[in-house]
Amino acid sequence: MKAYRFLTADDTSEFCHKVTEALSKGWVLQGDPQYAFDAAKGVMRCGQAVTKIVEGDYSPDLKLGQL
């Protein structure tokens, strides 16, 4: 099964650490990073899709962050 996650955070080192942690656990970058201005908070937000091939079947109860 191919699992998918979309990681998001404010444009700080927190976002880079989140993506780096996912990569260290075997997730693979999928596409380009995305940036958008959050007018409510007045900050830039980042997003990055990642995928990972895992054993088993899909279930809505699957905890993607634990793969």
Side-chain angles (χ1 to χ4, degrees):
M1 173 186 81
K2 189 175 208 178
Y4 170 89
R5 295 174 67 195
F6 189 70
L7 307 173
T8 62
D10 290 349
D11 187 11
T12 65
S13 63
E14 174 192 356
F15 175 73
C16 295
H17 285 283
K18 189 182 281 193
V19 174
T20 300
E21 179 182 21
L23 294 174
S24 74
K25 293 181 177 181
W27 292 85
V28 177
L29 298 177
Q30 185 68 41
D32 294 329
Q34 303 295 308
Y35 300 94
F37 183 69
D38 182 341
K41 292 176 68 179
V43 299
M44 290 298 291
R45 300 269 301 157
C46 301
Q48 175 65 58
V50 291
T51 59
K52 183 178 184 180
I53 302 296
V54 295
E55 292 187 21
D57 296 324
Y58 171 74
S59 166
D61 298 323
L62 186 65
K63 304 291 185 203
L64 296 171
Q66 295 177 359
L67 294 178

